[in-house]
Amino acid sequence: MPPSIKVNTKRPKVLFQQKVSSNKINHDLMGPHHTRTTTTSTTATITTAVTTSLRTPHQKVSRPRSGKGPRSRAAVDELTATPGKQDRIIMDPVGIGKTSDIEWDTMLGVDQNGYFIPDLFTSLPPLQDTLETKTSRVQDETVQECLPLLAGIHDPSRSLFDFNSHGLPRLEREKHIKYLHSCLNELPARFVVHDASRPWILYWVLAGLCLLGEDVQQYRSRVVQTLSPMQNLDGGFGGGHGQTSHCAPTWRWLGHLKQHDGGFVVCVGGEEDVRGAYCSMVLISLLALPLELPSSAPSKIHGLHSFLDGLPEYLSRCQTFEGGISGAPQNEAHGGYAFCALACLCILGPPHQMIPKYLDVSILISWLSARQYAPEGGFAGRTNKLVDGCYSHWVGGCWPLLEAAVRNPQSNAGLIKTFNSGSFFSREGLIRYILCCCQAENGGLRDKPLTHADAYHSCYSLTGLSAMQNRSYFPVAGEEEGSSPLDSALRWALLPEMPKTKEEDEEEIFDADDRVAPTHPIYLIPWDKVEQTHMFFAHKGGF
């Protein structure tokens, strides 16, 4: 028989819970809080801590998903009486009309500071498999690591000044900048195993610094001096001095990576997967390389004439029965490969045309949505795996591409309404995970609590945060006459910041100081650098 399903009937743990029988002052780790009691029962467990709200005068009282501001009884009545606006069923144990504003706030999950944390991020899932395995035990341990941090401003180990106006940890910008700068200095001996990843480390650090608003021009000459010796005689670049060329920006060399089935290998004699396809198409489109295969390309003997021949069909074959995308046909679905495939299709043409044509969008959305876990709020990369900060991008970065595919090209006029009409995932949940669980105390971002920060997770956690804070879209504007078939990726636009409505302002859970810079949804470099790079190489010629 299949394992049974355990229903979690326990009420979510209420923070600052106490048993009271008379009026008294409660002193806890957050400081002294005046308390009030009710006459229901001396053993009734209630939360009655009252303190001055941390909201400043200009901040609005929010709705239940907002994350800030105390709620009056009138607001609760309006919430529970309006169809479609309930977050959950609310019952008054004392009787309608006899419950205090504080008790209503307690039942809704509002704390004594007026901050609302949805039950989704504070309690265990309602359904749990009773079959215990190593995987389930590690998953439970991860949840227990995350829950105290997801409590946000309730964390007794931190100062109130560590939190933003929504009760979440602030983005520790200066600490992260200092950490990433340190990654460009001399590294410990244990990093010798990453010698072949030196170009990647440079990208992770520089991209992370750009996202944090740091000027990286100071490293220009050092980067050139470091990378130049890595170029081999075949034109490609290796991961280190004298190492095999790997997906390098050289037209003739790229021709040797093109395979007869339409895909690309990552290096000559290496594995064929969607990473090779994505990296190759980024280079071809961004550097304005010719689409025609060079005469020396081995795939020409199989009838292929262009780098694009058979590529979308190859990507289509990588979609698995689960709905996700694997690295190669018949392999396991993985969040990183999903992004590579979607971004590659967006380079090949408009997303609303290419993605539905070559992928089953419905099951892909289902698979990607299932990668987001509660209460953590973050994404996992594969089925039955743990949340990981890097998938804030590898999975989180898929959503702007899919939204463009299902919503068709957008004009500026209707963008705000379109973006707020619903979502396939919890934007709030991912932001909570990044700010609460991924920031290391001494700077840098990490996989999950109890792991160490590194440049890789710092880069992609910040990239995911950028995608949640800055909206990109595919515009209505038509293709210009004579434009390249790959110019679709260059047509993406960034939604400018506009004055928010009252409802939109209340939905935010980050402050202006927590915002990171926008990054291009396909190329993953600053927006202005995309156009500059493409224009520079488009005018070079030489082919």
Side-chain angles (χ1 to χ4, degrees):
M1 295 179 62
S4 60
I5 299 296
K6 179 175 65 177
V7 179
N8 181 16
T9 58
K10 294 181 180 179
R11 290 176 59 85
K13 181 180 179 182
V14 182
L15 296 166
F16 298 99
Q17 193 176 73
Q18 63 181 39
K19 292 184 179 181
V20 297
S21 57
S22 61
N23 292 325
K24 65 179 181 178
I25 300 296
N26 172 36
H27 294 273
D28 59 20
L29 293 174
M30 294 293 289
H33 303 289
H34 293 283
T35 63
R36 286 162 44 188
T37 63
T38 67
T39 59
T40 54
S41 169
T42 57
T43 60
T45 303
I46 59 175
T47 300
T48 55
V50 181
T51 189
T52 304
S53 172
L54 295 182
R55 292 183 300 116
T56 54
H58 70 275
Q59 292 174 336
K60 307 292 191 302
V61 174
S62 60
R63 297 190 300 109
R65 292 189 64 256
S66 66
K68 64 176 181 180
R71 189 171 294 95
S72 68
R73 174 63 185 269
V76 174
D77 290 341
E78 189 272 338
L79 170 72
T80 56
T82 306
K85 297 191 71 174
Q86 298 95 329
D87 276 4
R88 52 194 164 277
I89 298 175
I90 301 170
M91 298 183 67
D92 184 347
V94 181
I96 297 299
K98 298 181 181 179
T99 310
S100 70
D101 289 352
I102 297 170
E103 291 171 296
W104 277 94
D105 281 350
T106 298
M107 286 182 285
L108 280 169
V110 182
D111 77 347
Q112 83 286 2
N113 289 316
Y115 294 97
F116 177 81
I117 304 177
D119 285 348
L120 186 65
F121 308 117
T122 62
S123 56
L124 297 175
L127 297 179
Q128 294 178 276
D129 196 331
T130 57
L131 176 63
E132 185 177 284
T133 65
K134 180 179 179 180
T135 300
S136 67
R137 287 194 297 271
V138 176
Q139 170 61 26
D140 290 343
E141 291 169 3
T142 301
V143 169
Q144 294 305 322
E145 293 170 14
C146 291
L147 279 175
L149 299 176
L150 290 167
I153 203 166
H154 306 296
D155 185 349
S157 67
R158 305 185 67 172
S159 163
L160 292 179
F161 297 103
D162 293 334
F163 299 91
N164 64 21
S165 63
H166 307 267
L168 271 70
R170 301 180 186 278
L171 177 69
E172 299 286 358
R173 187 182 305 272
E174 295 305 318
K175 287 185 179 180
H176 301 328
I177 288 174
K178 182 179 180 180
Y179 172 80
L180 288 171
H181 278 305
S182 72
C183 292
L184 293 178
N185 296 327
E186 185 174 343
L187 298 175
R190 65 179 181 272
F191 276 81
V192 69
V193 298
H194 299 291
D195 186 56
S197 299
R198 291 172 67 192
W200 272 122
I201 294 174
L202 287 177
Y203 167 75
W204 296 331
V205 173
L206 296 177
L209 288 171
C210 287
L211 286 164
L212 293 168
E214 190 76 349
D215 185 0
V216 298
Q217 287 299 312
Q218 60 178 300
Y219 293 115
R220 181 183 177 89
S221 60
R222 284 180 59 189
V223 169
V224 172
Q225 292 172 9
T226 299
L227 295 179
S228 294
M230 297 183 187
Q231 188 169 23
N232 295 315
L233 294 178
D234 60 6
F237 285 81
H241 301 160
Q243 297 181 15
T244 302
S245 299
H246 197 277
C247 272
T250 312
W251 178 59
R252 289 184 177 84
W253 186 82
L254 281 172
H256 289 276
L257 304 186
K258 180 68 175 178
Q259 301 298 293
H260 64 86
D261 62 356
F264 288 81
V265 292
V266 295
C267 62
V268 175
E271 66 271 30
E272 179 184 10
D273 59 38
V274 296
R275 295 174 304 164
Y278 167 65
C279 291
S280 295
M281 295 314 301
V282 163
L283 296 168
I284 291 170
S285 60
L286 194 58
L287 306 185
L289 298 177
L291 294 180
E292 182 183 355
L293 286 169
S295 58
S296 58
S299 56
K300 294 201 74 170
I301 64 175
H302 296 280
L304 276 64
H305 301 284
S306 166
F307 283 107
L308 310 185
D309 288 349
L311 179 55
E313 291 81 6
Y314 172 81
L315 298 173
S316 179
R317 293 195 296 275
C318 291
Q319 187 167 25
T320 75
F321 71 95
E322 289 185 282
I325 310 295
S326 60
Q330 307 305 315
N331 287 354
E332 182 185 10
H334 189 285
Y337 296 132
F339 174 80
C340 290
L342 287 168
C344 194
L345 288 171
C346 289
I347 293 174
L348 296 176
H352 61 288
Q353 296 177 9
M354 297 299 295
I355 293 177
K357 181 177 180 180
Y358 292 102
L359 297 175
D360 186 327
V361 175
S362 296
I363 60 171
L364 177 56
I365 289 175
S366 176
W367 186 84
L368 287 170
S369 297
R371 304 283 69 74
Q372 188 169 29
Y373 294 171
E376 304 97 299
F379 287 106
R382 291 179 285 165
T383 302
N384 285 335
K385 293 295 183 179
L386 304 175
V387 291
D388 186 329
C390 71
Y391 294 111
S392 302
H393 160 65
W394 293 120
V395 176
C398 292
W399 295 115
L401 311 182
L402 277 172
E403 287 172 348
V406 300
R407 288 173 173 163
N408 293 324
Q410 299 294 318
S411 63
N412 246 339
L415 275 173
I416 292 291
K417 181 177 179 180
T418 299
F419 278 126
N420 290 328
S421 63
S423 181
F424 300 122
F425 69 105
S426 172
R427 190 178 301 271
E428 175 186 352
L430 183 56
I431 295 175
R432 284 184 179 276
Y433 181 71
I434 295 172
L435 293 180
C436 294
C437 301
C438 292
Q439 298 192 88
E441 183 177 356
N442 296 321
L445 289 96
R446 58 198 178 193
D447 165 355
K448 58 179 67 66
L450 302 186
T451 62
H452 295 288
D454 57 61
Y456 172 84
H457 288 93
S458 296
C459 173
Y460 291 120
S461 294
L462 291 170
T463 302
L465 182 60
S466 176
M468 299 303 101
Q469 296 175 336
N470 305 285
R471 306 296 184 89
S472 55
Y473 68 100
F474 192 77
V476 170
E479 296 182 9
E480 298 179 6
E481 186 175 351
S483 63
S484 166
L486 301 186
D487 281 352
S488 288
L490 302 172
R491 290 172 52 195
W492 282 75
L494 184 66
L495 181 67
E497 286 192 60
M498 299 179 180
K500 295 182 175 66
T501 65
K502 176 182 177 181
E503 186 177 55
E504 292 161 359
D505 181 62
E506 292 171 349
E507 291 296 323
E508 297 287 13
I509 58 170
F510 59 90
D511 291 344
D513 290 342
D514 303 322
R515 184 181 288 275
V516 297
T519 190
H520 196 280
I522 295 172
Y523 295 119
L524 307 185
I525 59 176
W527 280 82
D528 59 326
K529 303 304 179 186
V530 171
E531 185 64 24
Q532 292 176 19
T533 302
H534 181 75
M535 293 300 295
F536 176 82
F537 285 98
H539 289 92
K540 283 185 70 72
F543 295 97

